[in-house]
Amino acid sequence: MRVLVRRGWGPRPVGGGPGGRPSPQWRALAGLGASPGGEDGRGVRVREKPPWRVLFFGTDRFAREALRALHAARENKEEELIENLEVVTVPSPSPKGLPVKQYAVQSQLPVYEWPDVGSGEYDVGVVASFGRLLSEALILKFPYGMLNVHPSCLPRWRGPAPIIHTVLHGDTVTGVTIMQIRPKRFDVGPIIKQETVPVPPKSTAKELEAMLSRLGADMLISVLKNLPESLSKGRQQPTEGVTHAPKISAGTSCIKWEEQTSEQIFRLYRAIGNIIPLQTLWMDNTIKLLDLVEVNSSILTDPKLTGQPVIPGSVIYHKQSQILLVRCKIEPMDSLIFS
């Protein structure tokens, strides 16, 4: 088994101009106006068509699906889309590493740990759920720049947690965007390809991630099959409709019964419940809510509940169904149960 895991070798600045700054020609090649068949600032001939040499950057399950598609394309000798595939991921406390590293090791792909990005020659970089700002020098290593597979319809939900925020805010439509990366800023580059899909009702972030990861992988392969043409058709992101999807902290999991409706709490549960258990206070003690279910309307109309407290956060035990009901922010028939 040939597995390369290297540490500590950072990205080298690409030359071409004074002080190590890229030359104008090399800068142009890395942008939307790439010149297939020309030379980059180092005198290296730029490939006009596949097979491509790809350096992949990723970490999680969403990224693993894109890597899986690239690996399958490399193994498909008839299509000749990918000639070489190497992987960059980030260190993990787990001995096995993150999902991308696990897959790369199992598939005998060369693996580097950030900030080591290897020293080979590549045509294009591909990024999915990497979570690191990338320098101009690194982006300019690639004649066709770097592509990002982002699970939202940019410019909506720029940032590291777009799927969580899609569920959390009750979006009914989402999608995947393939965009070109720009240095030192997240998710602002030109859109190369974008597809929308409806959000399945009551889907969790984990379920939505699985669906979007497959869509993103298919879109990535489609772009790579016609890379120069795809880049030439890139368009700038709209200036309207920009929203941000910051990382979720443990504090987000704390339920505020007096501020959140049952629908909002269920969205929160579906968005982060598999990552961070929701929390609340019970007799001055913090408890975790491991499972939430919607209350049946027949229970809410039970005459035995008539006249019970309606203060948000109040708890009522329904003996017949053996469940605890928790009152949320006051709205008609708005309540929760947890078990």
Side-chain angles (χ1 to χ4, degrees):
M1 178 181 292
R2 183 172 65 94
V3 179
L4 307 179
V5 181
R6 307 188 178 104
R7 292 178 178 271
W9 192 89
R12 296 175 300 174
V14 278
R21 295 289 293 173
S23 67
Q25 181 184 19
W26 175 235
R27 187 187 303 274
L29 286 168
L32 289 174
S35 303
E39 292 184 352
D40 65 21
R42 301 164 297 176
V44 177
R45 189 78 174 175
V46 177
R47 294 189 178 191
E48 298 182 39
K49 59 183 180 180
W52 308 118
R53 297 162 296 180
V54 178
L55 184 60
F56 181 82
F57 298 72
T59 56
D60 62 11
R61 291 187 304 263
F62 178 84
R64 181 180 60 192
E65 195 65 27
L67 178 59
R68 193 194 309 274
L70 291 171
H71 183 234
R74 194 199 71 164
E75 295 298 297
N76 186 345
K77 303 304 181 183
E78 295 182 2
E79 193 168 23
E80 294 187 342
L81 181 63
I82 306 295
E83 176 182 296
N84 185 46
L85 176 62
E86 300 183 9
V87 178
V88 178
T89 189
V90 299
S92 167
S94 169
K96 293 183 179 180
L98 297 168
V100 160
K101 181 178 179 181
Q102 293 177 27
Y103 181 84
V105 170
Q106 293 168 2
S107 304
Q108 301 183 38
L109 298 172
V111 181
Y112 310 96
E113 287 195 343
W114 181 263
D116 182 1
V117 296
S119 57
E121 296 290 338
Y122 311 101
D123 301 301
V124 62
V126 175
V127 179
S129 299
F130 192 60
R132 300 292 190 276
L133 284 171
L134 305 177
S135 68
E136 182 180 45
L138 174 59
I139 296 170
L140 294 175
K141 283 173 65 76
F142 305 94
Y144 288 102
M146 301 182 75
L147 304 177
N148 182 24
V149 186
H150 186 82
S152 82
C153 292
L154 291 171
R156 185 162 178 80
W157 301 133
R158 291 175 177 171
I163 297 176
I164 287 176
H165 284 271
T166 295
V167 175
L168 188 60
H169 290 80
D171 288 7
T172 57
V173 177
T174 185
V176 173
T177 304
I178 308 290
M179 53 158 282
Q180 263 205 327
I181 288 181
R182 289 293 179 256
K184 300 180 181 179
R185 292 184 66 192
F186 283 118
D187 307 326
V188 299
I191 295 172
I192 307 304
K193 188 177 182 66
Q194 188 174 84
E195 293 187 14
T196 61
V197 292
V199 177
K202 301 187 185 303
S203 60
T204 66
K206 185 177 181 180
E207 293 165 344
L208 192 58
E209 177 188 62
M211 183 180 79
L212 294 180
S213 67
R214 293 189 292 270
L215 174 61
D218 291 343
M219 291 171 60
L220 173 63
I221 296 301
S222 174
V223 167
L224 290 175
K225 286 180 179 179
N226 301 282
L227 183 57
E229 181 183 358
S230 296
L231 294 178
S232 69
K233 295 179 179 179
R235 57 185 174 86
Q236 297 300 319
Q237 293 187 29
T239 56
E240 296 181 352
V242 176
T243 58
H244 297 277
K247 287 183 179 180
I248 296 297
S249 66
T252 308
S253 67
C254 297
I255 296 177
K256 300 177 179 63
W257 304 102
E258 69 282 0
E259 298 178 11
Q260 296 169 294
T261 66
S262 63
E263 174 60 28
Q264 291 170 330
I265 293 171
F266 270 117
R267 287 179 193 166
L268 180 63
Y269 177 63
R270 294 196 300 267
I272 69 171
N274 69 309
I275 304 171
I276 310 172
L278 302 194
Q279 303 178 57
T280 190
L281 286 176
W282 175 262
M283 300 179 70
D284 295 325
N285 294 312
T286 299
I287 62 170
K288 295 180 179 179
L289 307 180
L290 302 180
D291 189 22
L292 299 183
V293 293
E294 284 184 285
V295 68
N296 188 290
S297 59
S298 63
I299 295 176
L300 286 178
T301 55
D302 189 330
K304 294 180 181 179
L305 297 180
T306 304
Q308 295 289 342
V310 292
I311 301 172
S314 59
V315 178
I316 305 169
Y317 178 65
H318 191 253
K319 187 175 181 180
Q320 184 178 353
S321 58
Q322 296 184 330
I323 56 176
L324 287 175
L325 290 84
V326 183
R327 174 64 68 175
C328 308
K329 180 182 177 181
I330 303 300
E331 284 190 4
M333 305 300 287
D334 202 8
S335 188
L336 275 180
I337 58 175
F338 61 85
S339 57

